[in-house]
Amino acid sequence: MININGDVTARGHTADINQNFFQIVDKSDSLLAWMSYFEARRGKLGLFTDVVWLDLGFPGNFHAQRSPLARFPDVVVSIRGKAQLDYQQTIIQSGISYEVARWERAPGSFTAVDVLGSARYWNQDVDLSLRLTGTIAADLQQLGLKFNRSRSVVVAHSGDLEWVDPVVGGRIRHQIAPGQNLRLEGDIGGFGAGSEFSWQVVGVYSFHTAAFGIPLHADLGYRALSVDYSETGRFGKNGLNAVQHGPVMGITFNW
């Protein structure tokens, strides 16, 4: 489940995307998402890769009608608009972890601290369009005029954003008991090298379970990921300033 708070800018046109999970499900005409995490550890050293992908689409319509001339109430200006925000995101983060401290507790329990260094690749494909259709209708019998005129125009187009952030962070791993683990992780990145700034906070509780006789780890937690990025291209400003957050649930395979 995902919640998004912030805005996206495509070629100088900005749209808010403040939506919780239930609003996204209700309003989006495209709702696809995938998240996976891989880590290999040997001793104190670990290698990890984190992949996030989502595809969202938000349609919208509006209609306004006015009589701007008080002396001529039969002159009517009508504007209809059709908006569409298509938002596709790919995030791939790869890096290393190194255990710098470990405290053994009761048998089968320990707490460990890791430092993290990685690179986070972002690709945001934003298509923001707004099609306006304006109509002027008049029936002025006293002037002998009667006409109807209409015109349609698109006032925004798409933008494609791509960059890589250097990222540093830390992680606490706590094994409550064999088969029960708690992981708290945080990182910061960007520093003007890619985005202006980005941060991430993750908390996950894992426990042993089994399905069809296969031992598995079930994961329950919460994740928040924020980024502030902008660039100025030929057709104006492109950017993303948003926080994505929500519960995470998954299955971990160990071998």
Side-chain angles (χ1 to χ4, degrees):
M1 292 189 287
I2 188 171
N3 308 275
I4 303 177
N5 300 99
D7 57 66
V8 294
T9 302
R11 298 190 176 186
H13 299 272
T14 300
D16 292 332
I17 48 173
N18 295 300
Q19 304 285 329
N20 61 41
F21 173 76
F22 300 102
Q23 290 173 320
I24 291 174
V25 171
D26 180 54
K27 297 180 180 179
S28 179
D29 59 4
S30 174
L31 180 57
L32 300 171
W34 174 264
M35 183 175 70
S36 59
Y37 180 84
F38 169 82
E39 182 169 358
R41 297 190 64 88
R42 183 171 183 178
K44 295 184 176 183
L45 185 65
L47 302 175
F48 65 89
T49 296
D50 186 16
V51 179
V52 177
W53 177 84
L54 60 89
D55 187 355
L56 304 175
F58 301 98
N61 297 278
F62 65 88
H63 177 221
Q65 184 170 294
R66 296 287 186 274
S67 296
L69 303 177
R71 295 183 58 187
F72 302 101
D74 293 323
V75 176
V76 178
V77 177
S78 177
I79 298 177
R80 296 180 182 271
K82 181 177 182 181
Q84 178 71 30
L85 171 62
D86 294 314
Y87 176 66
Q88 187 177 102
Q89 176 189 76
T90 302
I91 304 172
I92 302 174
Q93 181 177 355
S94 294
I96 62 174
S97 65
Y98 187 79
E99 184 182 293
V100 295
R102 174 183 285 253
W103 298 272
E104 299 290 340
R105 305 291 183 177
S109 177
F110 68 86
T111 301
V113 177
D114 301 331
V115 293
L116 309 172
S118 62
R120 186 153 55 217
Y121 165 79
W122 297 75
N123 183 282
Q124 313 288 326
D125 187 0
V126 180
D127 191 344
L128 175 61
S129 62
L130 177 61
R131 181 174 293 275
L132 298 177
T133 301
T135 301
I136 298 178
D139 186 1
L140 305 179
Q141 295 181 358
Q142 65 270 39
L143 299 180
L145 298 175
K146 185 175 182 179
F147 62 89
N148 188 303
R149 295 291 185 269
S150 178
R151 185 175 182 183
S152 179
V153 60
V154 177
V155 298
H157 300 279
S158 63
D160 189 18
L161 311 178
E162 186 177 45
W163 71 94
V164 177
D165 281 341
V167 178
V168 295
R171 177 173 60 190
I172 298 175
R173 293 178 289 116
H174 178 61
Q175 181 168 294
I176 304 170
Q180 298 184 58
N181 299 277
L182 181 64
R183 176 169 62 94
L184 300 175
E185 180 177 328
D187 63 49
I188 57 175
F191 312 114
S195 66
E196 289 299 315
F197 189 70
S198 68
W199 58 263
Q200 178 178 227
V201 177
V202 183
V204 177
Y205 170 68
S206 302
F207 57 93
H208 275 315
T209 186
F212 306 104
I214 302 174
L216 302 171
H217 250 75
D219 299 321
L220 299 174
Y222 202 90
R223 178 178 190 171
L225 177 61
S226 173
V227 66
D228 181 5
Y229 173 84
S230 64
E231 66 175 18
T232 302
R234 290 180 55 195
F235 303 100
K237 182 180 177 181
N238 297 316
L240 173 68
N241 185 5
V243 179
Q244 303 172 30
H245 60 98
V248 293
M249 298 173 286
I251 296 295
T252 300
F253 298 89
N254 297 318
W255 65 87

